[in-house]
C-alpha cells in the first residue's frame, strides 16, 4: 500500500469531564461556525487546541515535526483580551523535531497563564506561547476553499528553530456527524473538529547550527469542546495517514477504564475531494503492536498501531502499519 507516512498517536487523559450543569458551552449539532471565527479561539468552551504534524525534506535528509497549542479555560466566562496577565486561561504548548537520519528527537513543552506572551485571539488564528506562534494569513473567504495559509514559528530550547509556511492543498474537513464529533451518548462529550488534512509545507529548519531549506506536507487539527471524554473513558489513541493517491485517514479508539474500547471510536477515510466515509469500531480493527515506557515516570504509551480497514474505493481490506 503506497502512502506517505504522516502518522501520529496521542494518549490523552488530562482533561476532566464536564457536567451539563456547568456554564461552559457545548457543541451543537448542525451549527456551522463562521469561517474565520472557526479558526480563532472560543473562550466560552473549556478546551481547545491547534495541532500540527508532518514530515519535511531537505535534499536526502528527512525530518518529522509536531507543534500543538492548547487553551484551557479555568472559568466559564469569556473575558476581554489584553496584555495583562490573568488566570482565566492557561496556555500549554508542545513542539518537537525528529531527525530521521540520526534518530534524534528534540522537544520542549511550555505552560503559561494568559498575558502578553501567551494568548489565543478570537475571530481568526493567532496563537502565541513565548516565541512560538501560529497565525493564519488572509486567504479565500469560504469554508470549502483551498489555499488557506498559516505561518508556524518556533524554537526548541537552543537546539532548533523552525519557520514554516503551510498552505491548504485540500478543502477544510469537518469530522463527525451533524457537524460535531461525539465521544459518548451524552452531548457534553463532543467537539467541533475541523481539519486541513493536507498542507503544503515550505520554509527553514535550523538544526545543529546548520540552516536547511525544507519542504514537505502536513496536517492540522483544530478541536473545540468543553469535555473530550465521557464518564468511564480514560483516554484515546489517535492516528492520521496521508496516501500517495491524495486520500487520508483519521482514526482513533477511545479507551474505557475497564480496558475495553468505546463504541464511539471512529475511523474516517477522506477522499481526493475531501468527502468523508465513516467507519464505526468493529468495522475496522486497531491492533496495538508496541509500547514505549518512560524511564522517568514508568508510564506506558501505545505506539506503532496496525489498522485493518476496508478501503471504501475498492472494498478490499487493507492492513496499514504506523511503524514507519
Amino acid at each position: 500500500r503506497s502512502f506517505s507516512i504522516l502518522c501520529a498517536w496521542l494518549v490523552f487523559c488530562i482533561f476532566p469531564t464536564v457536567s451539563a450543569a456547568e456554564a461552559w458551552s457545548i457543541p451543537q449539532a448542525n451549527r456551522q461556525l463562521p469561517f474565520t471565527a472557526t479558526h480563532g479561539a472560543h473562550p466560552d468552551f473549556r478546551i481547545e487546541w491547534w495541532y500540527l504534524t508532518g514530515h519535511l525534506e531537505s535534499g536526502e535528509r528527512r525530518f518529522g515535526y509536531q507543534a500543538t497549542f492548547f487553551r484551557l479555560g479555568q472559568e466559564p466566562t469569556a473575558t476581554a483580551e489584553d496584555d495583562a496577565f490573568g488566570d482565566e486561561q492557561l496556555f500549554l504548548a508542545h513542539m518537537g523535531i525528529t531527525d530521521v537520519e540520526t534518530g534524534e528527537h528534540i522537544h520542549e513543552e511550555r505552560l503559561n497563564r494568559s498575558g502578553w506572551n501567551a494568548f489565543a485571539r478570537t475571530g481568526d488564528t493567532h496563537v502565541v506561547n513565548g516565541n512560538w506562534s501560529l497565525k493564519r494569513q488572509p486567504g479565500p473567504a469560504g469554508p470549502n476553499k483551498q489555499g488557506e495559509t498559516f505561518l508556524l514559528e518556533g524554537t526548541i530550547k537552543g537546539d532548533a528553530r523552525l519557520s514554516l509556511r503551510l498552505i491548504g492543498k485540500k478543502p477544510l474537513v469537518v469530522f463527525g456527524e451533524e457537524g460535531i464529533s461525539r465521544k459518548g451518548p451524552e452531548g457534553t462529550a463532543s467537539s467541533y473538529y475541523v481539519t486541513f488534512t493536507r498542507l503544503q509545507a515550505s520554509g527553514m529548519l535550523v538544526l545543529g547550527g546548520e540552516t536547511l531549506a525544507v519542504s514537505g506536507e502536513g496536517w492540522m487539527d483544530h478541536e473545540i469542546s468543553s469535555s473530550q471524554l465521557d464518564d468511564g473513558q480514560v483516554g484515546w489513541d489517535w492516528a492520521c495517514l496521508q496516501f500517495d493517491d491524495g486520500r487520508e485517514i483519521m482514526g482513533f479508539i477511545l479507551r474505557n477504564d475497564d480496558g475495553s474500547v468505546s463504541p464511539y471510536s471512529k475511523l474516517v477515510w477522506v477522499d481526493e475531494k475531501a468527502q468523508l466515509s465513516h467507519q464505526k469500531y468493529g468495522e475496522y480493527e486497531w491492533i496495538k503492536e508496541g509500547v514505549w515506557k518512560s524511564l522517568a515516570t514508568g508510564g506506558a504509551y501505545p505506539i506503532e498501531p496496525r489498522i485493518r480497514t476496508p478501503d471504501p474505493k475498492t472494498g478490499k481490506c487493507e492492513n496499514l502499519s504506523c511503524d514507519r
Side-chain angles (χ1 to χ4, degrees), residues 67-291:
T68 309
F69 296 84
F70 296 89
R71 181 194 60 77
L72 181 60
Q74 301 300 292
E75 298 178 3
T77 55
T79 58
E81 295 174 334
D82 56 35
D83 291 339
F85 289 106
D87 57 6
E88 296 88 357
Q89 307 283 334
L90 294 179
F91 294 93
L92 303 84
H94 304 157
M95 192 171 292
I97 298 289
T98 299
D99 186 332
V100 176
E101 182 179 54
T102 65
E104 182 182 16
H105 176 69
I106 58 174
H107 59 91
E108 185 179 346
E109 60 184 11
R110 296 178 177 180
L111 171 61
N112 286 295
R113 61 192 179 114
S114 59
W116 63 268
N117 71 332
F119 57 81
R121 300 299 189 207
T122 59
D124 208 343
T125 304
H126 188 191
V127 190
V128 168
N129 200 313
N131 67 344
W132 298 358
S133 65
L134 176 68
K135 189 172 184 179
R136 192 184 77 93
Q137 300 299 289
N144 296 316
K145 300 287 182 68
Q146 297 173 214
E148 286 300 316
T149 300
F150 298 85
L151 300 180
L152 174 65
E153 301 275 353
T155 59
I156 302 176
K157 301 177 181 177
D159 301 322
R161 178 185 170 195
L162 183 65
S163 178
L164 291 181
R165 177 179 294 272
L166 302 158
I167 302 174
K169 296 174 67 177
K170 293 178 67 173
L172 184 73
V173 166
V174 179
F175 286 121
E177 291 82 10
E178 299 179 317
I180 59 174
S181 176
R182 300 179 186 274
K183 307 305 193 296
E186 300 296 331
T188 53
S190 60
S191 66
Y192 293 120
Y193 186 170
V194 297
T195 298
F196 287 98
T197 63
R198 190 147 325 221
L199 295 165
Q200 177 182 316
S202 62
M204 177 191 68
L205 171 64
V206 179
L207 187 64
E210 185 178 8
T211 300
L212 303 169
V214 293
S215 61
E217 291 192 325
W219 174 291
M220 186 174 78
D221 281 341
H222 182 193
E223 280 205 72
I224 308 155
S225 71
S226 289
S227 178
Q228 278 285 342
L229 297 174
D230 198 21
D231 291 338
Q233 294 174 349
V234 294
W236 66 86
D237 307 342
W238 176 94
C240 66
L241 299 94
Q242 291 177 328
F243 294 85
D244 291 343
D245 64 6
R247 297 184 296 162
E248 299 88 26
I249 279 179
M250 183 283 295
F252 59 86
I253 56 169
L254 293 157
R255 293 178 281 105
N256 295 324
D257 54 12
D258 62 2
S260 62
V261 174
S262 167
Y264 284 85
S265 303
K266 186 77 67 176
L267 184 140
V268 183
W269 286 79
V270 184
D271 73 9
E272 300 90 333
K273 297 181 179 180
Q275 300 300 303
L276 308 184
S277 298
H278 295 82
Q279 295 175 9
K280 299 178 181 179
Y281 187 71
E283 297 175 331
Y284 69 96
E285 293 182 78
W286 189 288
I287 305 164
K288 300 180 181 181
E289 294 202 334
V291 172

Side-chain angles (χ1 to χ4, degrees), residues 283-285 307-311 314-320:
E283 297 175 331
Y284 69 96
E285 293 182 78
I307 301 169
R308 183 172 173 81
T309 170
D311 185 330
T314 65
K316 296 181 180 179
C317 205
E318 301 287 351
N319 284 289
L320 308 172

Side-chain angles (χ1 to χ4, degrees), residues 3-10 51-55 62-66 98 197 217-219 237-243 248-251 286 302-307 320-324:
F3 61 95
S4 299
I5 188 64
L6 176 62
C7 188
W9 38 93
L10 303 176
Y51 171 81
L52 300 102
T53 187
H55 50 83
R62 294 178 58 222
F63 305 91
Y65 70 92
Q66 179 266 332
T98 299
T197 63
E217 291 192 325
W219 174 291
D237 307 342
W238 176 94
C240 66
L241 299 94
Q242 291 177 328
F243 294 85
E248 299 88 26
I249 279 179
M250 183 283 295
W286 189 288
I303 59 173
E304 300 182 0
R306 185 174 296 277
I307 301 169
L320 308 172
S321 175
C322 294
D323 60 359
R324 285 179 271 170

